[in-house]
Amino acid sequence: ITSSSSSSTNQQVNSHYHQQQQQQSQQQQPAGAVSRLQELLKAHIDETFAYDKQAVKQTRLESSDVTKIKEEHTNYVYTLDESESKAIFPEGFPGARPYRPVTDEKGKPLFPQDVESVFFWHRNKLYCDRRILVRKSTLSIIDKIKRLQDGTDSLAESRGFLLDGEVGVGKSLCLAHIIHYCRANNWLVISLPFARDWMTSTFQWFRVKGQVGYYDQRDTATEFLQEIKKIHEDKLSKIPIRLKETVNLILEEVEGTEVEKPTNLMHLIEFGLGDSTQSVPTALALREELNHVTEYPVLIAIDEYNSLFDETNYFDKFGRLFPEQMRLIARWRKFDGKDMVNGTMIAAMSYTRPSRNKFVITPELKKSVCRIPTFSFEEMKVFLLQLTASHQLMKKVDDKLVNWTIAMSGGRAKIAEDITTFNP
């Protein structure tokens, strides 16, 4: 009996050991297999999608120093690698929303992360590596901004820049180029690359006390302030508060509670982050203060600007809430670049998604409109060459292909990419 019992125990131990070994091997094998599959897939794509490397090289600038780009660099491309892209555009690259995993209706990922990294590796890479085409229309706007920075010109008459044009002509890319230029020249840049998120957020809204029909997006404002603090803490700590209304606005919100008066914009933001009920009033006060900053040139850059006038995804018991009722949206969408002492405002329209409400450009706002043109022959040729380098385009780029692409896309880069590339 003792021998039988011992044998049974050993079998259980061995069985348990083998199960552990199998589980460990199952956990280790997919990672190695996925890595190997990635290498094979990339090697196969490199061999299959061969492209003219010399032609691509001739279209690219050796340096990504945007401050040295001049008119003779028109129709060239400069490249930002992953680290540069994240450093220059920490809020996100305009026009390129982060890749989100495929999920079910409950939000659970349908595929393991390792599997997605194989089959969608080209998307992840394109999200990190940025290639910016130097266009004449962009350089003309930058030239005006240079004169503003040098004090040789004033943008008071134009109020700022509203980038408009057909869908897919590169309005967001133009905005990205300008943001890069301003940050490289030590501007204080407040960037909102995905304005539509303010309209479709799943965060809760709150009624504004004493103001019937107005609402606050406290969580959205908190995220916005946290991002600004993380990126611009060094600059904001050197900028004093200039408006008495700013301090009064905050003190009125706390209803007589003893609080230390903020003295600079960094204190103001920390005050708003310290209490979620103060996040929206702080964001409103910050926007007013930015109009009076003199220590640094200020750029307020908003992509998907027209979406801030569309219907929101917020409801109360009476129905859908309008953007005019949301204090955060209503203030930050106000196009008042002419009121900025040392800076300007630039916004880009977006037509990639249908809008319920048509945005109307008022006669006064027309003074600020900058039409971004469709791609010329040379611009389209350079653009297609970049697609071959990223293994998206599987054809030789010649004059015939360029002319055909322009005819079919109307010179719009986004549509040109869709009709010429392989996008699974």
Side-chain angles (χ1 to χ4, degrees):
I1 297 174
T2 303
S3 175
S4 175
S5 176
S6 176
S7 176
S8 176
T9 302
N10 290 335
Q11 289 179 358
Q12 291 178 357
V13 171
N14 291 334
S15 176
H16 179 68
Y17 173 77
H18 287 302
Q19 288 178 358
Q20 286 184 331
Q21 290 295 318
Q22 289 178 357
Q23 290 177 356
Q24 291 179 1
S25 63
Q26 288 175 357
Q27 292 176 355
Q28 294 174 359
Q29 286 178 3
V34 165
S35 177
R36 179 58 179 160
L37 183 56
Q38 271 187 320
E39 294 177 2
L40 292 174
L41 181 60
K42 290 180 181 179
H44 173 71
I45 290 177
D46 286 335
E47 182 179 355
T48 305
F49 301 158
Y51 64 95
D52 191 343
K53 296 183 179 180
Q54 185 62 29
V56 172
K57 185 177 179 180
Q58 292 176 352
T59 65
R60 294 188 177 180
L61 299 175
E62 295 182 358
S63 172
S64 60
D65 187 355
V66 71
T67 61
K68 296 181 180 180
I69 292 178
K70 300 179 181 178
E71 189 173 353
E72 56 263 30
H73 299 132
T74 303
N75 298 337
Y76 282 83
V77 171
Y78 70 89
T79 305
L80 300 175
D81 60 26
E82 179 180 352
S83 59
E84 289 177 316
S85 180
K86 290 183 178 180
I88 299 168
F89 305 100
E91 309 94 337
F93 193 89
R97 291 179 173 272
Y99 173 69
R100 292 181 173 84
V102 180
T103 60
D104 59 16
E105 57 184 8
K106 296 182 179 180
K108 183 179 179 181
L110 293 177
F111 304 103
Q113 186 175 1
D114 291 342
V115 175
E116 288 204 337
S117 66
V118 171
F119 292 101
F120 301 106
W121 71 270
H122 62 284
R123 295 187 188 179
N124 296 333
K125 182 178 180 181
L126 289 175
Y127 173 66
C128 297
D129 297 341
R130 298 299 177 195
R131 293 180 292 276
I132 298 180
L133 175 63
V134 180
R135 304 187 67 189
K136 185 176 180 180
S137 55
T138 305
L139 292 181
S140 65
I141 298 175
I142 290 179
D143 182 60
K144 294 180 182 179
I145 292 177
K146 285 180 180 179
R147 295 201 300 269
L148 171 68
Q149 187 180 16
D150 297 338
T152 57
D153 194 8
S154 173
L155 297 178
E157 293 298 324
S158 65
R159 296 162 54 89
F161 305 93
L162 179 62
L163 308 182
D164 197 12
E166 298 181 48
V167 59
V169 296
K171 298 180 290 295
S172 296
L173 196 64
C174 175
L175 181 64
H177 191 162
I178 293 169
I179 291 174
H180 186 191
Y181 170 81
C182 290
R183 282 199 163 136
N185 284 277
N186 201 33
W187 283 51
L188 174 61
V189 180
I190 307 297
S191 175
L192 185 59
F194 313 120
R196 189 183 297 110
D197 290 348
W198 282 18
M199 311 293 289
T200 60
S201 174
T202 57
F203 290 137
Q204 186 180 0
W205 53 260
F206 298 86
R207 287 187 173 86
V208 179
K209 186 177 180 180
Q211 299 185 38
V212 179
Y214 288 92
Y215 302 85
D216 279 347
Q217 302 159 276
R218 294 176 183 174
D219 296 322
T220 301
T222 297
E223 280 193 350
F224 186 47
L225 293 175
Q226 288 173 342
E227 197 170 64
I228 293 175
K229 176 184 177 181
K230 180 180 178 181
I231 300 171
H232 301 295
E233 184 171 2
D234 57 335
K235 288 184 173 66
L236 295 172
S237 61
K238 299 175 184 178
I239 302 175
I241 291 178
R242 290 182 165 85
L243 302 177
K244 292 182 179 179
E245 294 81 3
T246 300
V247 177
N248 293 337
L249 176 65
I250 299 299
L251 296 181
E252 287 175 4
E253 295 286 339
V254 298
E255 297 181 350
T257 305
E258 291 186 5
V259 294
E260 184 179 353
K261 292 184 178 181
T263 57
N264 59 52
L265 296 189
M266 194 64 245
H267 292 158
L268 175 64
I269 290 179
E270 289 176 345
F271 181 86
L273 293 175
D275 184 353
S276 62
T277 63
Q278 311 306 319
S279 60
V280 173
T282 298
L284 301 181
L286 175 64
R287 180 61 188 86
E288 298 298 336
E289 288 288 343
L290 291 176
N291 285 347
H292 301 273
V293 172
T294 57
E295 287 74 14
Y296 302 93
V298 178
L299 177 71
I300 297 176
I302 303 176
D303 198 13
E304 304 175 343
Y305 179 69
N306 49 318
S307 66
L308 295 178
F309 296 81
D310 202 354
E311 293 181 356
T312 74
N313 279 10
Y314 294 98
F315 293 84
D316 64 4
K317 62 181 180 180
F318 299 108
R320 190 187 298 271
L321 301 181
F322 296 98
E324 294 81 5
Q325 296 176 276
M326 318 302 289
R327 292 202 298 174
L328 181 68
I329 295 173
R331 180 59 192 94
W332 279 85
R333 76 178 188 179
K334 187 178 180 182
F335 204 88
D336 56 352
K338 67 176 182 179
D339 296 330
M340 300 180 72
V341 174
N342 184 26
T344 188
M345 181 175 180
I346 182 168
M349 306 283 279
S350 176
Y351 303 109
T352 55
R353 292 189 180 185
S355 175
R356 298 185 184 93
N357 293 337
K358 185 177 180 181
F359 176 74
V360 178
I361 298 178
T362 62
E364 188 175 4
L365 197 56
K366 283 184 179 180
K367 302 176 183 178
S368 305
V369 173
C370 295
R371 293 285 300 182
I372 305 301
T374 56
F375 275 39
S376 65
F377 179 89
E378 289 299 327
E379 289 174 332
M380 185 62 73
K381 185 175 183 179
V382 172
F383 177 72
L384 293 178
L385 284 170
Q386 309 314 308
L387 294 181
T388 64
S390 60
H391 305 304
Q392 291 178 272
L393 180 58
M394 300 177 287
K395 297 180 181 179
K396 180 182 178 181
V397 178
D398 53 19
D399 291 355
K400 183 178 179 180
L401 177 62
V402 176
N403 286 323
W404 177 87
T405 305
I406 291 177
M408 297 299 294
S409 67
R412 294 171 287 180
K414 176 59 180 173
I415 298 178
E417 180 180 0
D418 291 340
I419 65 177
T420 58
T421 61
F422 171 67
N423 289 317

